[in-house]
Amino acid sequence: MIKILKYSFYDLMRSRWSYVYFAFYLSLGFVLLFLNNDVNKAIITLMNIIIVLTPLIGTIFGVMYYYNSKEFTELLLAQPIKRNTIFMGQYLGISISLTLSLILGLGIPFLMYGLFMSTAIFDFTLLLVVGTLLNFIFVALAFNIALSNENRIKGFGYAILMWLFLAVIYDGVFLISLVMFNEYPLDKFALFTTMFNPIDLSRILILLKLDISALLGYTGAVFKKFFGTNFGLILSFMVMLLWIFLPVWRIKRKLKKKDF
Amino acid sequence: MIQIKSLNKKFGKLTVLDGLDLDIGKEGIFAILGPNGSGKTTLIKSILGMVIPDKGDIKLEEESILGKWNYRNKINYLPQIANFPANLTVKELIEMVKNLRPKEAHDTDLIQLFDVQPFLDKKLGNLSGGTKQKVNIILTFMFESDLIILDEPTTGLDPISLIHLKEIIQKEKEKGKTILITTHIMSFVEEVADEIVFLLDGKIYFKGSSTTLKEQTGQLDLEHAIAKLISKEI
């Protein structure tokens, strides 16, 4: 698997898009730091961007890579390698190269600004961890969609729709349902539904750590009250990991029956 | 070498392979022919484990291959469309495939034969279709395997490379290999193939030499004989 991972990784690292992505984060980091002039404030702005943007990029890269490397995958399938190995190698290759762009792109400006001398280092690290988790989650989800759709236009459509749903629509529906049923005790329901959206979950994860109650929102506040900060952090972290394992498990299952 | 028993494969409602039986016991060059959509590629991909059949069994050297992957080390396969990762160079791709197969490779002679040296450091995304096909051929023939499967090997090749390809195929045959070829170019079939396997409606419709086929159909050339087979006039 390491071999496949290595080559997917090289292939992606040399593509223009990895650099564009890297350059974007690099300039974002610099701009935010110079506009805010404060590491802590920059981190909050950055959080809002990361939890929406990394899922989008992960989704698009995942779907695009799968469809673009289809013929190459067929070449690999004819070699004496297990199917699982090929796809897990590719999956890790994309996820790791995206993560590298994220970490280097944001890390360089923050380091130059003197991150190590500020107290925000843990918050910043958590931000990167969440970004990494989101990368792994959404690339896995994108692979799931691509594996189930032979037609690449359809695959792209569904993938973007999934992102739109989780990043925007989910919150809207959630809010409407809270307003409509506000006579009922919704704490547990709210808590439960948050688990089904990795983007919401990562928002809570970061805000719990940053401890800014004004930004926590309804679900976050319930979350904090219910679990407390530390347990809440661990629990949301665990659920995020589950969000990686379940899609990966489905990829493996799907591969057993798939024709190429 | 290969025994295929009542192989069935459906894609949705479309039956592609319908109880196909095929026994290729000896060495030689076998041309797998048939109209578009007759299941040639599906048959090949089933042998390679890329398509998973609904029913039936495939045996390679007396051993069932369904669900296994190690046996692919005994097969050289040339895919129909040569499309490689655009950002790797030719050299890197060759090294990678060598890396993936636990086998000795002879790539230098082939690179020279097909004149690919000037492209070794170029990225695969910048190569022309014909050059990509040459790389494809090098990747296929650089290993020694008893079974060689070629899916449309002539696509995009210039006349010189085509001659080289035919030479290589003959050489491999002399070494006692079994070679399966699908193609639509009948002159190529007549020139290289020892036996013709004709697929129609997911079954083997004819198996034998091109002379027998011409006699059976009463045609003088292979193209018309095949056309007659497709129209099911026999």
Side-chain angles (χ1 to χ4, degrees), chain B:
Chain B
M1 190 83 204
I2 316 171
Q3 280 99 36
I4 298 172
K5 275 206 188 92
S6 53
L7 202 64
N8 272 65
K9 180 69 195 174
K10 272 186 188 177
F11 289 111
K13 280 182 183 167
L14 186 77
T15 308
V16 180
L17 298 179
D18 187 12
L20 182 140
D21 291 298
L22 179 64
D23 194 337
I24 291 177
K26 54 180 195 307
E27 59 201 54
I29 302 171
F30 297 83
I32 299 175
L33 306 178
N36 299 333
S38 58
K40 301 183 294 277
T41 300
T42 308
L43 172 65
I44 285 177
K45 285 188 169 178
S46 302
I47 298 175
L48 286 160
M50 291 159 82
V51 165
I52 296 158
D54 301 329
K55 262 188 257 164
D57 195 15
I58 303 172
K59 280 182 180 168
L60 186 70
E61 291 169 346
E62 308 298 324
E63 239 180 281
S64 177
I65 55 155
L66 296 180
K68 302 206 176 86
W69 55 275
N70 258 325
Y71 75 92
R72 285 199 282 266
N73 202 23
K74 296 179 203 159
I75 303 176
N76 289 353
Y77 169 58
L78 181 100
Q80 197 166 8
I81 316 159
N83 219 338
F84 306 116
N87 295 306
L88 291 182
T89 65
V90 176
K91 212 178 190 170
E92 282 167 331
L93 180 73
I94 294 174
E95 284 305 317
M96 174 186 142
V97 176
K98 273 162 112 178
N99 218 330
L100 290 173
R101 290 189 91 155
K103 248 185 182 183
E104 204 191 332
H106 325 273
D107 50 325
T108 12
D109 311 340
L110 285 166
I111 290 170
Q112 232 162 25
L113 185 66
F114 283 100
D115 254 334
V116 181
Q117 294 109 314
F119 305 103
L120 279 181
D121 291 315
K122 290 236 167 74
K123 283 188 177 177
L124 286 150
N126 301 333
L127 297 186
S128 72
T131 316
K132 274 189 195 166
Q133 183 68 357
K134 286 185 194 171
V135 175
N136 204 6
I137 291 173
I138 293 171
L139 291 179
T140 310
F141 284 101
M142 67 185 186
F143 298 104
E144 293 281 336
S145 296
D146 290 335
L147 181 59
I148 299 168
I149 299 175
L150 310 171
D151 201 352
E152 301 277 358
T154 55
T155 324
L157 287 185
D158 57 53
I160 300 175
S161 310
L162 194 60
I163 293 171
H164 288 320
L165 176 68
K166 285 176 195 162
E167 283 168 7
I168 294 176
I169 293 176
Q170 285 304 339
K171 244 185 235 164
E172 295 295 321
K173 183 194 161 189
E174 280 158 25
K175 285 189 209 160
K177 312 255 169 99
T178 310
I179 303 162
L180 305 183
I181 303 174
T182 73
T183 179
H184 286 291
I185 300 166
M186 289 306 136
S187 57
F188 186 70
V189 173
E190 268 198 303
E191 210 172 322
V192 301
D194 301 319
E195 219 170 284
I196 291 171
V197 176
F198 188 81
L199 256 72
L200 197 64
D201 301 333
K203 287 189 187 104
I204 304 289
Y205 202 73
F206 172 87
K207 185 169 178 280
S209 70
S210 65
T211 359
T212 331
L213 179 63
K214 280 186 249 175
E215 278 166 17
Q216 268 190 29
T217 50
Q219 300 291 328
L220 290 174
D221 63 310
L222 195 57
E223 225 150 47
H224 284 90
I226 293 289
K228 198 143 193 186
L229 271 189
I230 294 175
S231 61
K232 298 186 194 175
E233 282 172 20
I234 355 162

Side-chain angles (χ1 to χ4, degrees), chain A residues 54-196:
Chain A
T54 42
L56 177 67
I57 302 288
T59 308
I60 292 179
F61 258 76
V63 178
M64 208 165 71
Y65 189 84
Y66 177 87
Y67 287 122
N68 269 348
S69 60
K70 223 172 162 223
E71 286 85 5
F72 178 61
T73 307
E74 285 182 12
L75 183 103
L76 291 178
L77 284 166
Q79 306 298 330
I81 322 167
K82 262 193 228 165
R83 278 185 176 194
N84 243 332
T85 315
I86 297 170
F87 285 89
M88 284 304 116
Q90 290 185 344
Y91 165 64
L92 290 177
I94 304 170
S95 306
I96 292 174
S97 77
L98 285 180
T99 303
L100 212 65
S101 294
L102 172 80
I103 291 179
L104 288 181
L106 289 178
I108 292 170
F110 274 78
L111 278 181
M112 283 171 71
Y113 198 80
L115 181 73
F116 280 126
M117 279 177 283
S118 88
T119 49
I121 177 124
F122 290 109
D123 296 344
F124 183 72
T125 315
L126 182 71
L127 198 67
L128 292 185
V129 169
V130 168
T132 307
L133 286 173
L134 284 173
N135 271 333
F136 277 84
I137 291 171
F138 278 86
V139 174
L141 290 174
F143 258 56
N144 265 293
I145 291 174
L147 273 170
S148 306
N149 288 286
E150 278 301 304
N151 184 332
R152 60 176 73 195
I153 306 283
K154 256 191 188 167
F156 253 105
Y158 285 138
I160 295 295
L161 218 60
M162 172 200 72
W163 171 79
L164 200 67
F165 179 77
L166 291 177
V168 185
I169 301 171
Y170 194 90
D171 272 359
V173 173
F174 187 65
L175 211 64
I176 290 171
S177 65
L178 286 186
V179 171
M180 296 235 317
F181 300 104
N182 67 354
E183 285 159 20
Y184 301 91
L186 287 170
D187 303 21
K188 298 241 170 78
F189 167 76
L191 215 62
F192 189 64
T193 40
T194 314
M195 304 284 185
F196 287 99

Side-chain angles (χ1 to χ4, degrees), chain A residues 11-61:
Chain A
D11 184 32
L12 275 163
M13 269 301 150
R14 277 185 217 165
S15 83
R16 198 158 28 107
W17 288 109
S18 291
Y19 291 109
V20 172
Y21 191 49
F22 168 70
F24 170 78
Y25 272 126
L26 197 68
S27 51
L28 183 75
F30 277 118
V31 167
L32 280 181
L33 282 171
F34 285 109
L35 284 182
N36 282 308
N37 223 356
D38 178 356
V39 177
N40 281 305
K41 278 185 193 157
I43 284 180
I44 295 170
T45 319
L46 209 54
M47 175 205 80
N48 280 315
I49 295 172
I50 281 187
I51 57 178
V52 175
L53 200 70
T54 42
L56 177 67
I57 302 288
T59 308
I60 292 179
F61 258 76

